[in-house]
Amino acid sequence: MDQQEERTVSFFRFEDLRVYAKATDYATWVTTQMNAPRSESEKTLASSFCHSSFDIALNIAEGSSRSKSQFDHYLKIAKTAIRECVVYTEVAHNLGLMNEEQYTQSREYLMELTRMIGALIISLQRSAERRNEQAEEEQGDPYSNDMSY
């Protein structure tokens, strides 16, 4: 096997998640777009926007180290941060801090992140359902026994 075929696995497993990479790309993008606020209120908006964009990646990272049900919870918190970023995108656009191209690009990032996180949540839920079904099969039916009443 040559070096290109080898897959490097990160020490921090969340770094291998495509959704984490997309979330950090978005946080980096937001930070570069919000670099010229003119007033104190615009600085507050930019700071809050950046904070929420970081929260998407932070919740993915934190949740990935937890149980599947807790990961599901953290992914839902990440989706809350996405919705916050939708609001910040709209307000930044309305204030002229984002042009039409930036506005569209931000919304595209956020829609893609929403789809990716939604798919991961569904995958985690299906995995939990399969585990529950397997556990029930292993235990058998508690109401079926040979005893007559």
Side-chain angles (χ1 to χ4, degrees), residues 97-144:
L97 291 172
M98 279 189 165
N99 62 33
E100 197 66 34
E101 180 182 339
Q102 293 166 313
Y103 172 80
T104 300
Q105 192 171 3
S106 181
R107 291 186 58 85
E108 286 173 357
Y109 261 117
L110 295 168
M111 287 185 285
E112 184 173 5
L113 282 164
T114 298
R115 286 190 293 272
M116 292 173 85
I117 291 173
L120 186 50
I121 288 170
I122 289 169
S123 174
L124 289 170
Q125 290 171 346
R126 285 185 182 151
S127 174
E129 288 171 7
R130 283 192 299 270
R131 269 195 327 276
N132 290 339
E133 289 171 2
Q134 288 173 345
E136 288 173 6
E137 287 174 9
E138 289 172 4
Q139 291 176 352
D141 184 359
Y143 299 107
S144 68

Side-chain angles (χ1 to χ4, degrees), residues 59-128:
N59 280 291
I60 293 166
E62 179 63 27
S64 71
S65 69
R66 308 289 181 116
S67 70
K68 288 184 180 186
S69 65
Q70 289 173 326
F71 192 16
D72 177 83
H73 174 74
Y74 276 90
L75 290 172
K76 289 175 181 173
I77 295 171
K79 285 179 77 173
T80 296
I82 289 171
R83 289 186 294 275
E84 290 172 359
C85 288
V86 169
V87 173
Y88 292 132
T89 296
E90 188 70 32
V91 173
H93 180 251
N94 291 344
L95 291 173
L97 291 172
M98 279 189 165
N99 62 33
E100 197 66 34
E101 180 182 339
Q102 293 166 313
Y103 172 80
T104 300
Q105 192 171 3
S106 181
R107 291 186 58 85
E108 286 173 357
Y109 261 117
L110 295 168
M111 287 185 285
E112 184 173 5
L113 282 164
T114 298
R115 286 190 293 272
M116 292 173 85
I117 291 173
L120 186 50
I121 288 170
I122 289 169
S123 174
L124 289 170
Q125 290 171 346
R126 285 185 182 151
S127 174

